[in-house]
Amino acid sequence: MAKNDMSVKEELDQYYEELKKQNLGPLWYDLGHMVTKEPVHDVEPYLWKWKTIREYVLKAGKLLEPGKDAERRVVYLQNPSLLKRGLVGYGTHTLYAGIQLLLPGESAPSHHHSQSAIRFVIEGDGAYTAVNGEKTYMERGDMILTPAWTWHEHKHEGTEPMFWLDGLDVGLVKTMAASFFEPYEEETYPMEAPENYSTKQFSMGAFKKLNESKEPGYPSPIFGYKFDRVKYLLDEMTEADNDPYDGYAIEYINPTTGGSADSRIGTMMQKLKSGQQTKAHRHVHSAIFHVLEGSGYTVINGEKFEWEKGDFFILPPWSLHEHVNTGESDVFLFSFNDKPVMEKLDLEYSEVYEDNDGHQIVEKVFVPEN
Amino acid sequence: MAKNDMSVKEELDQYYEELKKQNLGPLWYDLGHMVTKEPVHDVEPYLWKWKTIREYVLKAGKLLEPGKDAERRVVYLQNPSLLKRGLVGYGTHTLYAGIQLLLPGESAPSHHHSQSAIRFVIEGDGAYTAVNGEKTYMERGDMILTPAWTWHEHKHEGTEPMFWLDGLDVGLVKTMAASFFEPYEEETYPMEAPENYSTKQFSMGAFKKLNESKEPGYPSPIFGYKFDRVKYLLDEMTEADNDPYDGYAIEYINPTTGGSADSRIGTMMQKLKSGQQTKAHRHVHSAIFHVLEGSGYTVINGEKFEWEKGDFFILPPWSLHEHVNTGESDVFLFSFNDKPVMEKLDLEYSEVYEDNDGHQIVEKVFVPEN
Amino acid sequence: MAKNDMSVKEELDQYYEELKKQNLGPLWYDLGHMVTKEPVHDVEPYLWKWKTIREYVLKAGKLLEPGKDAERRVVYLQNPSLLKRGLVGYGTHTLYAGIQLLLPGESAPSHHHSQSAIRFVIEGDGAYTAVNGEKTYMERGDMILTPAWTWHEHKHEGTEPMFWLDGLDVGLVKTMAASFFEPYEEETYPMEAPENYSTKQFSMGAFKKLNESKEPGYPSPIFGYKFDRVKYLLDEMTEADNDPYDGYAIEYINPTTGGSADSRIGTMMQKLKSGQQTKAHRHVHSAIFHVLEGSGYTVINGEKFEWEKGDFFILPPWSLHEHVNTGESDVFLFSFNDKPVMEKLDLEYSEVYEDNDGHQIVEKVFVPEN
Amino acid sequence: MAKNDMSVKEELDQYYEELKKQNLGPLWYDLGHMVTKEPVHDVEPYLWKWKTIREYVLKAGKLLEPGKDAERRVVYLQNPSLLKRGLVGYGTHTLYAGIQLLLPGESAPSHHHSQSAIRFVIEGDGAYTAVNGEKTYMERGDMILTPAWTWHEHKHEGTEPMFWLDGLDVGLVKTMAASFFEPYEEETYPMEAPENYSTKQFSMGAFKKLNESKEPGYPSPIFGYKFDRVKYLLDEMTEADNDPYDGYAIEYINPTTGGSADSRIGTMMQKLKSGQQTKAHRHVHSAIFHVLEGSGYTVINGEKFEWEKGDFFILPPWSLHEHVNTGESDVFLFSFNDKPVMEKLDLEYSEVYEDNDGHQIVEKVFVPEN
């Protein structure tokens, strides 16, 4: 480049302008935005109080009738950091969380879609989720799978309102331009299998029925994952099982593969003993948390999010986080995440925080906007 | 062939003689023995009474001290059909069954070998089997793995004599010329893992600990398979699970692969309700049966073998068989087999008996030689 | 809902307003946008002429020195449909295509990143791509892998300018918030393996070296995929191999898995004989095409895109498309796509166009903006 | 044991006698024969001269007509060490080798069986082997699979006698009591696929046709493995590929699995350069060797077996062996083995000989019995 700097600049500017007209771009200019040294994203942490959510969901119960006014009566979390940019608001860039209410006697009609979904029961019992015609009865703390493309519906045969979390990978499927949806031709898919069949089948990991296939496959042969078993397993854990970053933690699996129960949405239950505090780490995958039991706080990128039973909060991708149980009894934190997606795509990566004995300095305390 | 028949025969005879001298053979002559239309073998069915076995094993307990007079104090089944041909006598061409006695306070020193082994507890409790330093306590009806090449030892900390079945693939490994054996340099392999650890780890098929690997692998992460769980699963079965040839049956599995618990020795527990009778079928794999509970009989190739609690009997390869529970209570039949070997080698094949509504004509009743 | 319609509407409007303040949303209102009956996206088809691209890339060659003015001297495709919404412009929502120029004697320094990349040689020879220290020399029509996280660099030892396509999953990795990048600490990664080693190793699919591992694994043991072999295989194909929607087509594979050569970016070469016309279909995955040889056109969603040697065009997700060879000689179309991602996530789905004997009505002819 | 030794001995002897009557055995007495420290077997090494074999096979050609006098016109190797014990004589305990002659115009009718078989062409061309209706033409040095249970037949359309090796796992299948055999209902199975189809399909390991399945499966999609490709690959090898124990060696694989071409019979071609000498090692698997080209000798357990083009020799299990090329030109040794069986059963194990710089002392020279 022999010319003087001024003329070079001018020449370049003119070049860039022409390039743009041709719908071409100079990589050397944009590389830094395309291929960043570390993940760059818009997702910020946020927290919702159960009290507020519950109130608004109940109000919807009075205003709307599912099947008539709404396919499903659900209030969903709108992470304001996603809203700001004019995007449809979800929990994270990939994950959606809604809170569904079903009143005694009500039902939600059968449909299926390319999104994967999990349910987590917050309050009540007596309702069932039917997946491809197999009913699974739902009790508080249970996790129920309705995997992508399975026909699913809900019906409440109990006497009190039922609340549950719907976790879907709406953001992922939208970004991938891969959404398909179809209502079932009738209100209800034919019921064929015995009730809770899948839960009973594989109740014992060390045995199989003579004619039972154990070939790896999707979806998981289990649809209902009972909380009493999760609790039993967590309570049986010893200090050796206590993970420094996640405490006592179990993942829900597909017993035929050993992998995540749903093939795209990861699900985890963590237990923290009274006073327990984890160390900080971060990972590419994002998550949405629900507090099943107990109270405490989570520090995310230096900001403190205080929570109690029923609350929800967002863990953005590549964000430092640590949990603390400030109560007298055990904390049970349920969460769902996009880890299986990141792992399938070989994009998962994690890092521990080493300064300050693994604990972040709290620089800010989150206050719900209201 | 223009010559007269006589000279052709002479010429051929001479040719065969010369061929033999050259250590060559005419296939057209021997093909029928080499490649048979159906399996041909020497293994015949047989049955041993528990009363007899127990008496002789106990006598050995008086005559011999394990560790001093014997590496292990075991009396093994000698199938007379295998003995006749001057072969070392085993249960079948591939499988061996021994009955081991351990008296209170005794131990059997640590060793390992290329043979796979399973144990099945017949009487007593309070002893443990340690596999690579992990103790599994043994109770009646439990199945314990000591997979090929794992260091294993036994010790009795209880107060009554303990009897258990040792099932090994001695015949297979001998035929394959692949036997290796080594005693451990000391009496005992270092004990490291918590007791019964493997049994507890994978107690629930639908969940895993956060840091627990579920990668398919051998050996099974479980060494002890508890009878109470087997019984629970069998008792939960519905009529839909009742197999016409095997009744209510479960197989012991390696939860990381979904395949057989031991990679070469298959293990199965069958339950027959009072009065239940299965239909006849046959398969390439052979098996050795032990009657855990109940009484009845098995018809094998038209011969009736009557059995009661504790008895052992042989099912040869490719032999028609059906079972009958003639007692008032449930029958529990434990068996081990070479099915995983036949499946790995793609040699397994089975056939159901269709005549006479699936039931053989009993032509003979077996009477133990004594 | 017993109240009159007016008051219901008012009540609902107020409810929605309050909900919004709480960062909550009514699913019954937004479900149609979240879970669509069919894929909804912003990606539109587009076409760039090679003549234009080549001219601007060569101009960059005069204006910039790689390593000094630019990490890589690359001009990339900016799909205007993606630009319109203020997004960084890529080829499709997941895929990026750049055209790189390396002049004789130049080199591009070693770096690695979490994005996967493939190269496809457009003009010239004598340059190599080195992947983790193994050099693969590049000739026209060759496809070269630089899988995610491998150290890679380029050097030109030849005498004429070299142009090649860089295909990366920039859009996917950005959306997943999973971009990591690192320059190598020195200009060049140590060269260790013999040249073109991987290409030679697995040249024959039916054999392996005694000590060569064939365990399924990533990345592919092959980095360089030679065009002469691709052409040989396409020329050997018979009418039975002629796919109605894709013509004569081969995919580049990882021989240890049988799957896509790169684990996230699919790569395909299609051959169309003179006069050949395919039928229309559509699929969830998107692609970017490059015309290696020949001339013709592609109809995408009713719009005709005419192309000749060297041109590039975009196939958006879920878009009907069919190709026609209007020239005298064979057409060779190279393309890369996000099919492996859609398949891993179980989001791939396709549909054939059945009207009008499988051919779309051309409603519009694309004219490049300039 | 408080009694005097004499009475103990008497008591034990009586005990053993009673035990025997009950068809029970004392393990402490027999353990050493059942579970040996190292493999114990009857297989001894042996060598046959091609000149002799060829002469006797040709004589059979004069005496017998296949299809009329014989299903197949084959002379097989009778290892005398196996004959001595009254067993049907095979090559090793698991493997059988026959030499088949087909004269111009002759054919061998279609049949199938549970034994696996491979063919290796010794002399001639113009014949084909058809597997499930797909013809593969055979040339000198080619290896052809006729996997277990596939219908196969041979026909000679050429002008000179053809000789080939038949390698089967007759011993294994007999020992496992798993032999099944069935002639095809007609002389010939319907011919459907194009000729040599499978050989062409997978000719290139790095690519697949768009609609070609690469799912792991049995049998191999390739039936014919051409010698010219084997030779090309061996000739391309560098010193880095030279294995100290096996020289330049390739294995024939199933490209969908990366494993052995046949699922039970392993196949290997080794090349030794003029003057090359390997070091000694031993392994559980046994093998039968055929000298395709060159001359030299193999030392097996201290005995020297001199060979030249066309000869066959036996490598028993767990036997030290090393090869030497004493000629001027390259040696090509083809062998087939039971390594896949030992590996599937997890019974394979190997050991290198470390004394004397890896070379055995020759204590004996083998002289054929004649």
Side-chain angles (χ1 to χ4, degrees), chain A residues 9 19 35 41 61 63 68 82 103 172 178 202 280 288 334:
Chain A
K9 204 196 158 299
L19 214 52
V35 177
H41 58 84
L63 295 167
K68 191 177 150 204
L82 293 170
L103 296 173
L172 174 74
F202 290 78
I288 300 181
F334 173 77

PDB file of all heavy atoms in Angstrom, chain A residues 9 19 35 41 61 63 68 82 103 172 178 202 280 288 334:
ATOM      1  N   LYS A   9      -7.788   5.712   2.794  1.00  0.00           N
ATOM      2  CA  LYS A   9      -9.043   5.725   3.525  1.00  0.00           C
ATOM      3  C   LYS A   9     -10.227   5.997   2.607  1.00  0.00           C
ATOM      4  O   LYS A   9     -11.263   5.340   2.667  1.00  0.00           O
ATOM      5  CB  LYS A   9      -8.996   6.763   4.653  1.00  0.00           C
ATOM      6  CG  LYS A   9      -9.982   6.438   5.773  1.00  0.00           C
ATOM      7  CD  LYS A   9     -10.258   7.585   6.691  1.00  0.00           C
ATOM      8  CE  LYS A   9     -11.589   7.385   7.407  1.00  0.00           C
ATOM      9  NZ  LYS A   9     -12.742   7.296   6.516  1.00  0.00           N
ATOM     10  N   LEU A  19     -19.446  -2.198  -2.200  1.00  0.00           N
ATOM     11  CA  LEU A  19     -19.617  -3.570  -1.725  1.00  0.00           C
ATOM     12  C   LEU A  19     -21.040  -3.751  -1.191  1.00  0.00           C
ATOM     13  O   LEU A  19     -21.721  -4.731  -1.488  1.00  0.00           O
ATOM     14  CB  LEU A  19     -18.606  -3.818  -0.599  1.00  0.00           C
ATOM     15  CG  LEU A  19     -17.991  -5.208  -0.437  1.00  0.00           C
ATOM     16  CD1 LEU A  19     -17.398  -5.710  -1.739  1.00  0.00           C
ATOM     17  CD2 LEU A  19     -16.904  -5.148   0.637  1.00  0.00           C
ATOM     18  N   VAL A  35     -17.635 -13.613  14.933  1.00  0.00           N
ATOM     19  CA  VAL A  35     -16.919 -14.664  15.666  1.00  0.00           C
ATOM     20  C   VAL A  35     -16.323 -14.001  16.887  1.00  0.00           C
ATOM     21  O   VAL A  35     -15.253 -13.423  16.823  1.00  0.00           O
ATOM     22  CB  VAL A  35     -15.826 -15.291  14.765  1.00  0.00           C
ATOM     23  CG1 VAL A  35     -15.017 -16.323  15.505  1.00  0.00           C
ATOM     24  CG2 VAL A  35     -16.467 -15.899  13.510  1.00  0.00           C
ATOM     25  N   HIS A  41     -24.693 -12.039  23.834  1.00  0.00           N
ATOM     26  CA  HIS A  41     -26.132 -12.284  23.714  1.00  0.00           C
ATOM     27  C   HIS A  41     -26.900 -11.215  24.473  1.00  0.00           C
ATOM     28  O   HIS A  41     -26.309 -10.391  25.193  1.00  0.00           O
ATOM     29  CB  HIS A  41     -26.478 -13.662  24.280  1.00  0.00           C
ATOM     30  CG  HIS A  41     -26.063 -13.807  25.700  1.00  0.00           C
ATOM     31  ND1 HIS A  41     -26.836 -13.382  26.734  1.00  0.00           N
ATOM     32  CD2 HIS A  41     -24.917 -14.271  26.250  1.00  0.00           C
ATOM     33  CE1 HIS A  41     -26.199 -13.603  27.870  1.00  0.00           C
ATOM     34  NE2 HIS A  41     -25.021 -14.139  27.603  1.00  0.00           N
ATOM     35  N   GLY A  61     -58.162 -17.564  35.085  1.00  0.00           N
ATOM     36  CA  GLY A  61     -59.125 -18.630  35.317  1.00  0.00           C
ATOM     37  C   GLY A  61     -60.545 -18.116  35.381  1.00  0.00           C
ATOM     38  O   GLY A  61     -61.495 -18.811  35.034  1.00  0.00           O
ATOM     39  N   LEU A  63     -61.449 -15.169  33.872  1.00  0.00           N
ATOM     40  CA  LEU A  63     -61.768 -14.464  32.618  1.00  0.00           C
ATOM     41  C   LEU A  63     -61.937 -15.387  31.422  1.00  0.00           C
ATOM     42  O   LEU A  63     -62.625 -15.050  30.463  1.00  0.00           O
ATOM     43  CB  LEU A  63     -60.663 -13.441  32.300  1.00  0.00           C
ATOM     44  CG  LEU A  63     -60.499 -12.278  33.296  1.00  0.00           C
ATOM     45  CD1 LEU A  63     -59.188 -11.540  33.034  1.00  0.00           C
ATOM     46  CD2 LEU A  63     -61.685 -11.319  33.171  1.00  0.00           C
ATOM     47  N   LYS A  68     -62.619 -22.928  24.880  1.00  0.00           N
ATOM     48  CA  LYS A  68     -63.544 -21.967  24.290  1.00  0.00           C
ATOM     49  C   LYS A  68     -62.801 -20.664  23.989  1.00  0.00           C
ATOM     50  O   LYS A  68     -62.618 -20.281  22.843  1.00  0.00           O
ATOM     51  CB  LYS A  68     -64.707 -21.710  25.262  1.00  0.00           C
ATOM     52  CG  LYS A  68     -65.854 -20.937  24.632  1.00  0.00           C
ATOM     53  CD  LYS A  68     -66.998 -20.776  25.640  1.00  0.00           C
ATOM     54  CE  LYS A  68     -67.760 -19.489  25.367  1.00  0.00           C
ATOM     55  NZ  LYS A  68     -68.457 -18.983  26.548  1.00  0.00           N
ATOM     56  N   LEU A  82     -35.393  -9.580  26.510  1.00  0.00           N
ATOM     57  CA  LEU A  82     -35.710 -10.063  25.172  1.00  0.00           C
ATOM     58  C   LEU A  82     -36.769  -9.170  24.529  1.00  0.00           C
ATOM     59  O   LEU A  82     -36.752  -8.949  23.320  1.00  0.00           O
ATOM     60  CB  LEU A  82     -36.190 -11.512  25.234  1.00  0.00           C
ATOM     61  CG  LEU A  82     -35.112 -12.517  25.649  1.00  0.00           C
ATOM     62  CD1 LEU A  82     -35.718 -13.876  25.929  1.00  0.00           C
ATOM     63  CD2 LEU A  82     -34.027 -12.633  24.585  1.00  0.00           C
ATOM     64  N   LEU A 103     -58.746 -26.020  35.980  1.00  0.00           N
ATOM     65  CA  LEU A 103     -59.691 -26.084  37.093  1.00  0.00           C
ATOM     66  C   LEU A 103     -60.400 -27.436  37.088  1.00  0.00           C
ATOM     67  O   LEU A 103     -60.440 -28.120  36.056  1.00  0.00           O
ATOM     68  CB  LEU A 103     -60.696 -24.929  36.972  1.00  0.00           C
ATOM     69  CG  LEU A 103     -60.050 -23.533  37.102  1.00  0.00           C
ATOM     70  CD1 LEU A 103     -61.071 -22.429  36.792  1.00  0.00           C
ATOM     71  CD2 LEU A 103     -59.479 -23.336  38.522  1.00  0.00           C
ATOM     72  N   LEU A 172     -35.753 -21.878  20.502  1.00  0.00           N
ATOM     73  CA  LEU A 172     -34.890 -22.689  19.636  1.00  0.00           C
ATOM     74  C   LEU A 172     -35.593 -23.020  18.329  1.00  0.00           C
ATOM     75  O   LEU A 172     -35.045 -22.816  17.243  1.00  0.00           O
ATOM     76  CB  LEU A 172     -34.512 -23.994  20.344  1.00  0.00           C
ATOM     77  CG  LEU A 172     -33.724 -24.982  19.479  1.00  0.00           C
ATOM     78  CD1 LEU A 172     -32.302 -24.514  19.283  1.00  0.00           C
ATOM     79  CD2 LEU A 172     -33.760 -26.381  20.074  1.00  0.00           C
ATOM     80  N   ALA A 178     -38.377 -24.053  12.359  1.00  0.00           N
ATOM     81  CA  ALA A 178     -38.779 -25.447  12.295  1.00  0.00           C
ATOM     82  C   ALA A 178     -40.057 -25.729  13.076  1.00  0.00           C
ATOM     83  O   ALA A 178     -40.270 -26.835  13.553  1.00  0.00           O
ATOM     84  CB  ALA A 178     -37.633 -26.325  12.823  1.00  0.00           C
ATOM     85  N   PHE A 202     -40.443 -49.164  33.859  1.00  0.00           N
ATOM     86  CA  PHE A 202     -39.005 -49.065  34.027  1.00  0.00           C
ATOM     87  C   PHE A 202     -38.650 -48.648  35.438  1.00  0.00           C
ATOM     88  O   PHE A 202     -37.668 -47.980  35.663  1.00  0.00           O
ATOM     89  CB  PHE A 202     -38.436 -48.067  33.030  1.00  0.00           C
ATOM     90  CG  PHE A 202     -38.474 -48.569  31.615  1.00  0.00           C
ATOM     91  CD1 PHE A 202     -39.642 -48.556  30.899  1.00  0.00           C
ATOM     92  CD2 PHE A 202     -37.332 -49.073  31.021  1.00  0.00           C
ATOM     93  CE1 PHE A 202     -39.684 -49.024  29.596  1.00  0.00           C
ATOM     94  CE2 PHE A 202     -37.365 -49.538  29.716  1.00  0.00           C
ATOM     95  CZ  PHE A 202     -38.542 -49.518  29.005  1.00  0.00           C
ATOM     96  N   ALA A 280     -19.251 -20.563  42.312  1.00  0.00           N
ATOM     97  CA  ALA A 280     -19.713 -20.022  41.025  1.00  0.00           C
ATOM     98  C   ALA A 280     -19.035 -20.711  39.843  1.00  0.00           C
ATOM     99  O   ALA A 280     -17.856 -21.059  39.892  1.00  0.00           O
ATOM    100  CB  ALA A 280     -19.446 -18.529  40.972  1.00  0.00           C
ATOM    101  N   ILE A 288     -33.982 -22.143  33.107  1.00  0.00           N
ATOM    102  CA  ILE A 288     -35.038 -21.464  33.866  1.00  0.00           C
ATOM    103  C   ILE A 288     -35.270 -22.273  35.145  1.00  0.00           C
ATOM    104  O   ILE A 288     -35.447 -23.486  35.084  1.00  0.00           O
ATOM    105  CB  ILE A 288     -36.335 -21.347  33.038  1.00  0.00           C
ATOM    106  CG1 ILE A 288     -36.064 -20.544  31.752  1.00  0.00           C
ATOM    107  CG2 ILE A 288     -37.452 -20.709  33.873  1.00  0.00           C
ATOM    108  CD1 ILE A 288     -37.280 -20.346  30.856  1.00  0.00           C
ATOM    109  N   PHE A 334     -35.903 -26.923  41.015  1.00  0.00           N
ATOM    110  CA  PHE A 334     -36.072 -27.600  39.740  1.00  0.00           C
ATOM    111  C   PHE A 334     -35.644 -26.639  38.640  1.00  0.00           C
ATOM    112  O   PHE A 334     -35.901 -25.433  38.728  1.00  0.00           O
ATOM    113  CB  PHE A 334     -37.536 -27.996  39.527  1.00  0.00           C
ATOM    114  CG  PHE A 334     -37.797 -28.556  38.166  1.00  0.00           C
ATOM    115  CD1 PHE A 334     -37.428 -29.865  37.862  1.00  0.00           C
ATOM    116  CD2 PHE A 334     -38.362 -27.773  37.162  1.00  0.00           C
ATOM    117  CE1 PHE A 334     -37.637 -30.386  36.590  1.00  0.00           C
ATOM    118  CE2 PHE A 334     -38.572 -28.281  35.887  1.00  0.00           C
ATOM    119  CZ  PHE A 334     -38.207 -29.598  35.602  1.00  0.00           C
TER     120      PHE A 334
END
